[in-house]
Amino acid sequence: MLAEFDLIRRYFMSSQEASAASNGVTLGCGDDATLLAPSAGQQLAVSVDTSVVDVHFPREAPAFAVGHRALAVALSDLAAMGATSRWCLMALTFDQRQFADDEATHVWLEAYARGFHALSQQHATALVGGDVTSGALSIGVTVMGEVPVGEALTRCGAQAGDLIAVTGALGGGAGGLALWQQGERDLTHPLLRRYLLPEPRLAAGLALRGLATAALDISDGVLADLAHLREASQVGADITLDALPLAEGLESLLGTEGALKAALSGGDDYELLVTLNAADIAKAQQRLASLGLTLTVIGHCCETLGISASGQRDLSRYVSGYAGWQHFSGETP
Amino acid sequence: MLAEFDLIRRYFMSSQEASAASNGVTLGCGDDATLLAPSAGQQLAVSVDTSVVDVHFPREAPAFAVGHRALAVALSDLAAMGATSRWCLMALTFDQRQFADDEATHVWLEAYARGFHALSQQHATALVGGDVTSGALSIGVTVMGEVPVGEALTRCGAQAGDLIAVTGALGGGAGGLALWQQGERDLTHPLLRRYLLPEPRLAAGLALRGLATAALDISDGVLADLAHLREASQVGADITLDALPLAEGLESLLGTEGALKAALSGGDDYELLVTLNAADIAKAQQRLASLGLTLTVIGHCCETLGISASGQRDLSRYVSGYAGWQHFSGETP
């Protein structure tokens, strides 16, 4: 059995120490708290997310993916604010008795730390605090980013007439989960990657600063997340179901109906949902294209509160099972 | 069953919103992340602590105490840095199915939130982020404080000749746990309070800024925590067992031997362990006295690494069961 301090030092400190010094960290892990130097003229954006085994990821998920995913879902919140990620703290709870022996524990922890570190390095996010406790597997990640005063993307700036757009493709999270449940374990499968190794859209959030009037990340499906945006901005939304960008391979896996349902209410996509003035959409699409990302218009904001659908398809067909649905009745809030 | 967002709003947001505006919070809970305005010329001190049921607190602990304690142990790390606490984020994992019905859930959550809030308000610490997930009961708390550049108390400034001192009294955490295990449930019992409702020594940490050469909080018992300080500062320590300030009622509960063992290696005391130049001890004691706290000299730092004991008592008698002991052999490191 490894003691907490040894564990943190062995798996989580070494590769971070080098990057920490250049990232505003004046005192790294090991003291009671870590001292950070926030940049002048910036606001701090902070958020916390917990990933629990059997709730947010399967018990048999590869340790590398568990580490990656726990950080990714937290970073996704910074992306939605248009913030630059700088620091994170990680609270890992796990049960050493779950493993056959110390070697198995070591293998799991090493892969977990590798997944966490690879993503934190990709986004220049120094791990500045850690806690390891014994209990049911769960990971709490607090992320801290910076954004110039007044430039953060919030949920409350959307106005009637604004276009509604999403980055990348939707439904991949739900599709990947379905695949996993069917026994697929090949992490190179694009849908499985979307579910287990989501990519937080930090670069997109940064690129949309100054253009998006509102933004949030899609963790619960477009319908539920759009509802948060509608409520915060006090606007209605009209979406075109045929315009939803579906993840590659999703229709062949789930059929058209299933794919639309996955995109609307499946969750776990971690794309950004944004609103923009129509005059800015081309510029925004151009910026995202330079990042290798699409930005697809899926509807527009309107004055009448509530949600409606344009086009041939009836929205209500796709929302059974969507818990938020009872709050909507056609066009009413 | 309550949804996450409702739950956070219902139990954790209302009483915080008023205080948030005056505490550098420009955008409160409800967006993807919260925006904070750090003060100019200050370093941020950050730390994370997880409290797990059956590991850090008993399953039957009163909900008020669970909320208080989860925040207290995290704030204790800021106290040890001499930081002023400003913000916290809370990740609560709990299982609604554990409760008989929605009413029982409500009663627990309401008391939990009350315990958390009472302490956060006492220390002007705004709750700026929350996550509620389903799973085995556990609470992750990230705390953020501020300290003027260069003034933080760290573990590495102790020098040979410095006095070693502790705030308040020791062994109360272990004594309270023993009482709890004996069936005591009266939270007005001083020892039980020390275990379930520890008071983070933030005011003491602040008062010791500029005086203490090193500091940390006592979470694992004086011996284990002093070992961290010795290692970080590369000094040895000589302590006088008879000088240890024992919590009131501890000796009558555990006997003299048991009380000393509780103080040395029981843990959960959350007092501060500091080193000071002998010339500063009177001033430090004066400052703490004005806070209603004692500061007791328990030994001094020496050049020879390792730990030794002065006085009539033999240190080795009290350290069986102390996991760190095998690293010590008398006077050697």
Side-chain angles (χ1 to χ4, degrees):
Chain A
M1 299 281 274
L2 289 163
E4 175 194 345
F5 193 72
D6 295 336
L7 227 153
I8 290 182
R9 186 147 49 177
R10 179 161 169 190
Y11 294 101
F12 301 106
M13 280 174 74
S14 51
S15 67
Q16 292 293 332
E17 277 168 356
S19 70
S22 61
N23 206 4
V25 182
T26 49
L27 186 67
C29 299
D31 217 292
D32 295 278
T34 305
L35 296 175
L36 307 175
S39 310
Q42 306 264 323
Q43 289 180 309
L44 265 184
V46 298
S47 181
V48 61
D49 268 291
T50 311
S51 297
V52 180
V53 70
D54 293 335
V55 177
H56 300 95
F57 60 90
R59 190 169 294 272
E60 295 78 21
F64 181 90
V66 174
H68 172 108
R69 199 176 186 288
L71 178 58
V73 302
L75 287 177
S76 181
D77 286 319
L78 293 186
M81 301 297 287
T84 303
S85 174
R86 295 206 61 193
W87 305 298
C88 66
L89 301 95
M90 181 210 63
L92 169 64
T93 303
F94 84 112
D95 189 351
Q96 291 195 41
R97 293 167 304 179
Q98 228 186 287
F99 298 97
D101 51 30
D102 278 2
E103 175 60 18
T105 309
H106 165 72
V107 167
W108 193 93
L109 280 172
E110 191 277 326
Y112 168 87
R114 210 157 22 87
F116 195 98
H117 279 159
L119 191 67
S120 69
Q121 281 173 359
Q122 184 185 335
H123 296 289
T125 303
L127 178 66
V128 296
D131 190 28
V132 178
T133 48
S134 179
L137 182 58
S138 116
I139 304 111
V141 177
T142 298
V143 287
M144 305 169 63
E146 291 186 328
V147 58
V149 175
E151 293 189 22
L153 306 177
T154 71
R155 298 177 174 188
C156 54
Q159 300 200 324
D162 283 355
L163 298 178
I164 301 170
V166 295
T167 62
L170 303 176
L177 173 58
L179 266 182
W180 176 271
Q181 288 168 339
Q182 290 171 18
E184 179 63 61
R185 293 294 181 269
D186 179 3
L187 274 183
T188 64
H189 193 298
L191 287 176
L192 207 53
R193 286 189 71 85
R194 291 301 306 261
Y195 171 53
L196 286 176
L197 297 168
E199 291 295 339
R201 299 304 186 195
L202 286 156
L206 222 62
L208 290 167
R209 248 165 38 188
L211 294 179
T213 54
L216 79 176
D217 71 324
I218 304 176
S219 52
D220 300 324
V222 165
L223 279 185
D225 292 309
L226 187 54
H228 296 315
L229 188 148
R230 289 190 292 108
E231 192 194 0
S233 293
Q234 284 296 296
V235 293
D238 186 89
I239 58 175
T240 305
L241 296 183
D242 289 320
L244 291 174
L246 301 178
E248 207 186 316
L250 194 64
E251 278 193 85
S252 63
L253 177 72
L254 302 176
T256 303
E257 306 278 293
L260 271 172
K261 199 172 271 189
L264 285 168
S265 51
D268 283 338
D269 280 333
Y270 302 104
E271 296 291 352
L272 298 185
L273 173 68
V274 299
T275 56
L276 312 99
N277 188 295
D280 291 325
I281 185 70
K283 191 171 184 181
Q285 286 175 325
Q286 216 165 21
R287 286 192 192 170
L288 263 61
S290 73
L291 301 171
L293 261 183
T294 55
L295 183 69
T296 308
V297 175
I298 63 165
H300 65 274
C301 300
C302 46
E303 281 185 19
T304 310
L305 299 183
I307 189 162
S308 57
S310 295
Q312 311 248 328
R313 292 176 186 280
D314 177 14
L315 189 59
S316 64
R317 293 187 56 179
Y318 302 97
V319 291
S320 70
Y322 162 50
W325 180 245
Q326 66 271 24
H327 298 301
F328 309 111
S329 56
E331 305 266 335
T332 68
Chain B
M1 300 281 273
L2 289 163
E4 176 194 343
F5 193 71
D6 295 336
L7 226 154
I8 290 181
R9 186 147 49 178
R10 179 162 170 188
Y11 294 100
F12 302 105
M13 279 174 73
S14 52
S15 66
Q16 291 294 331
E17 277 168 355
S19 70
S22 62
N23 205 4
V25 182
T26 49
L27 185 67
C29 299
D31 217 293
D32 295 279
T34 305
L35 296 175
L36 307 175
S39 311
Q42 306 264 323
Q43 289 180 309
L44 265 183
V46 298
S47 181
V48 62
D49 268 292
T50 311
S51 296
V52 179
V53 69
D54 293 336
V55 178
H56 301 94
F57 60 90
R59 189 169 294 273
E60 295 76 23
F64 181 91
V66 174
H68 172 108
R69 198 176 187 288
L71 178 59
V73 302
L75 287 177
S76 181
D77 286 319
L78 294 186
M81 302 297 287
T84 304
S85 175
R86 295 205 60 192
W87 306 297
C88 66
L89 300 96
M90 180 211 63
L92 168 64
T93 302
F94 84 113
D95 190 350
Q96 291 196 40
R97 294 166 304 180
Q98 228 186 287
F99 298 98
D101 51 30
D102 278 2
E103 175 60 18
T105 310
H106 165 73
V107 167
W108 193 92
L109 280 173
E110 191 277 327
Y112 168 87
R114 210 158 22 87
F116 195 99
H117 279 159
L119 191 66
S120 69
Q121 281 172 359
Q122 184 185 334
H123 295 290
T125 304
L127 177 66
V128 296
D131 190 29
V132 178
T133 48
S134 179
L137 182 59
S138 119
I139 304 111
V141 177
T142 298
V143 287
M144 303 169 65
E146 290 185 328
V147 59
V149 175
E151 293 189 23
L153 306 175
T154 70
R155 298 178 175 187
C156 54
Q159 299 199 325
D162 283 354
L163 298 178
I164 300 170
V166 295
T167 62
L170 303 177
L177 172 60
L179 267 181
W180 175 271
Q181 288 168 339
Q182 289 171 20
E184 178 64 59
R185 294 293 182 268
D186 179 4
L187 274 183
T188 65
H189 194 298
L191 286 176
L192 207 52
R193 286 189 71 85
R194 291 301 306 262
Y195 171 53
L196 287 176
L197 297 169
E199 292 295 338
R201 300 302 188 196
L202 286 155
L206 222 62
L208 290 167
R209 248 167 34 189
L211 294 178
T213 53
L216 80 176
D217 71 324
I218 305 176
S219 52
D220 300 323
V222 164
L223 279 186
D225 292 308
L226 186 55
H228 296 314
L229 188 148
R230 290 190 290 108
E231 193 195 358
S233 293
Q234 282 298 295
V235 293
D238 186 89
I239 58 175
T240 306
L241 295 182
D242 289 320
L244 291 173
L246 300 178
E248 206 186 317
L250 194 65
E251 279 193 86
S252 63
L253 178 71
L254 302 176
T256 303
E257 306 278 292
L260 272 172
K261 199 173 271 190
L264 286 168
S265 51
D268 284 337
D269 280 333
Y270 302 104
E271 296 291 353
L272 298 185
L273 173 67
V274 299
T275 57
L276 313 98
N277 188 295
D280 291 325
I281 185 71
K283 190 171 185 181
Q285 286 174 326
Q286 216 165 22
R287 287 192 191 171
L288 261 62
S290 73
L291 301 171
L293 261 183
T294 55
L295 182 70
T296 308
V297 176
I298 62 164
H300 64 274
C301 301
C302 46
E303 281 185 18
T304 310
L305 299 184
I307 189 161
S308 57
S310 295
Q312 311 246 329
R313 294 177 185 280
D314 177 13
L315 189 59
S316 65
R317 292 188 56 181
Y318 303 97
V319 292
S320 71
Y322 162 50
W325 181 244
Q326 68 268 28
H327 299 301
F328 310 111
S329 57
E331 306 265 337
T332 67

